[in-house]
Amino acid sequence: MPGTRAAWEPPGWNAPERTREELVPLRWRGLRYACRVITSDRPPVTEPLLLLGGALQDMYAWPRLERRLSDHMPLVFVDLPGVGTADDLPAEQGFDALAEAALAVADRLGFDRVNLLGASYGAPIAYRAALSRPAAVARLVLAGATHRMNPRLVSDCEQVWRARAALADDTDGSLSAAGSDEIAARAVATLLNTGARDRVAQAPTVARMLHRQFARITPAEARRHAVCHQRLRAADPLPATALDAVRALVFTGEHDDVSTPDENRAVAAAITDSTFLLVHDADHMVHLEREAEYADLVLRFLTDLPLDGLPYATAPEHPGRDTPAGFTPSGCSRRCEVG
């Protein structure tokens, strides 16, 4: 069972009477991609939010957050090159290229400034976007961020890929039902902290959800995921360059062993005006395990509300303020994931 803290009740939520969805085709460096823009009949309380998710999260992968935030600001969900409906992105194209493509979305939509949320695989894209054009980013949120993959996690991912290669059909790369089930189980075990299962909210439900998602991955999607893994291995996902012109929130679950609390704290330490905290009773999948708290935390930060005293999170820290000049991040990790 998760901790015995007093139950947290989310703020009252009233859906807007009407929301509008616009699908916007995009093109960048000859590659086609697209985004969804969600607006409501209520005036926004902050800048539009551009959300960059995990490696296998397309622009329809955030229905819970969409439901809770669409009342407050325009939302932009994007299929960057290599994801969802977009064209493939060659493995040699790194995170700087993806950051450029992400900023091109805001330009195409005519937004002078956006709030930027990068979750897991999306975190290095968001960080690099803020680093390259800080004036275009009102606030930065990084969830499950780390500077680089550590050896243990590299090994875990490589074992999954080797197992899949051994089980795949030589002709089209497909898996049998039993093979899909085995690879799904291995992949879920790399993403969830199984040792903390009894302390993570909704752990069995989230495990089943991810297992179904992995079991349904097509050979083409598996190849795309492998390219994402190559991109993560090619260089440090988050650069060592400090970010000092954008206010940021960095957080993850207290039991995250994909991007650990210390690794997220190290990311926050590289951002001068950063706030760091941990969400109780969650691991890397905070957005699924504690979706109401995730949305509340993001909304509070994006509307400049205080983050002190939240019953579902640790006390805010500000590691960037105490970071010495010339600081270079050390041991951090990053991992392939579905979101």
Side-chain angles (χ1 to χ4, degrees), residues 206-217:
V206 172
R208 288 193 296 270
M209 183 186 307
L210 293 179
H211 190 283
R212 286 195 299 272
Q213 182 176 356
F214 273 115
R216 295 169 180 170
I217 287 177

Side-chain angles (χ1 to χ4, degrees), residues 1-3 5 193 195-201 203 254-255 280-282:
M1 295 290 292
R5 304 175 187 86
N193 186 344
R197 184 177 304 163
D198 293 341
R199 291 167 284 160
V200 172
E254 64 182 345
H255 301 298
H280 296 310
D281 305 329

Side-chain angles (χ1 to χ4, degrees), residues 86-139:
D87 289 342
D88 288 333
L89 183 70
E92 61 269 17
Q93 293 284 337
F95 287 106
D96 283 330
L98 288 168
E100 183 181 327
L103 289 169
V105 176
D107 294 339
R108 168 68 173 78
L109 297 175
F111 297 144
D112 293 330
R113 299 178 82 211
V114 294
N115 293 313
L116 197 53
L117 192 162
S120 196
Y121 179 82
I125 305 171
Y127 188 97
R128 290 169 184 267
L131 195 63
S132 66
R133 283 177 55 189
V137 180
R139 300 167 195 82

